[in-house]
Amino acid sequence: MKTRFASFLIAAAATFVGLLPSANAQAAGYTQTKYPIVLVHGLFGWDTIAGTVDYWYKIPDALRADGAKVYVTQVSAANSTEVRGEQLLSQVKQILAITGASKVNLVGHSHGGPTARYVAGVAPELVASVTSVGGVNRGSDFADAVRGVLPDGSPLTAAAKTLVDSTLVALIQTLSGNGQLPANAEAALVSLTTAGSNAFNKKFPAGIPTTACGEGAYVVNGVRYYSWGGNKQFTNLLDVGDAALGLTGAFFNGKANDGLVSSCSMNLGQVIRTDYKMNHLDEVNQFFGLVNIFETSPVEVYRQQANRLKNAGL
């Protein structure tokens, strides 16, 4: 009797499982958006260094594996939002020419968020959606603190700009094969301050919340806006970047932040979540995947967003 009952359960389970799609069937086309996905890095970012060190660690391949067409762009590692935006616009047009697509889905991390918003603002007909990841949409308290130490016109500011442009930025852009891009660390800093962000938002208000920490318009000029990000600084004992983000996070006076951007500043359009247990580097799966093991993998969050875009017909 027990043997017959066990056999019955096994058969029933097999029948039930047979009615469900397999894992492979579920994954097939999961990230296959209608329009190409274009990734836009943040401050001091790159596409790939020496062909081996990716800014978007393992993210493009994970998206491509299930159907997405993904393009990784390179704009100035440090410059104003407008300069970076024009560089991105040029690359978007190239991607559209190559693919034959009519629009793209822009995904920007950190300063890449406003950079993507610039393109959506000046050429909405080319953009299906903007997803801001840890985006500096209302400025950064840390940038405000740095600007307080390096005010406009100060000799110290001029010296710091020259040093950063000629060393860190030059190194990043040279190693990534983009040494010809213009660098201006002070312009980048101004863009990332609260004052600079507010000035930019007056020109490009699409998706910006009208309340302190709310959501913004979901769709403006045919462009869909999304945002997500983290609110932790220390997430992995092995990640050398966590200590630095812990220090920079102290400048936010108790406000939830990822080490460089407050959670409320990240909000744009439809807010997916800004309380992932991730820091600013975790949001792009850095440092080499050393992220919070008790939180959803950043790679999976990007896959989920691609699926969200797919289901929205984008």
Side-chain angles (χ1 to χ4, degrees), residues 7 21 29 33 38-39 48 58 66 107 113 121 127 141 145 190-191 195 201 235 237 246 249 256 267 278 310:
S7 298
T33 55
V38 176
L39 303 177
T48 183
K58 293 190 175 181
D66 293 324
V107 179
V127 181
D141 291 33
V190 171
S191 289
N201 291 344
T235 60
L237 290 174
N267 288 11
M278 300 179 190
K310 172 188 175 180

Side-chain angles (χ1 to χ4, degrees), residues 258-287:
D258 66 0
L260 287 174
V261 187
S262 72
S263 296
C264 289
S265 181
M266 298 175 190
N267 288 11
L268 181 77
Q270 181 180 348
V271 180
I272 307 305
R273 279 182 62 184
T274 53
D275 63 350
Y276 284 104
K277 295 179 180 63
M278 300 179 190
N279 61 36
H280 204 67
L281 293 178
D282 294 344
E283 291 160 359
V284 287
N285 202 34
Q286 292 287 0
F287 181 73

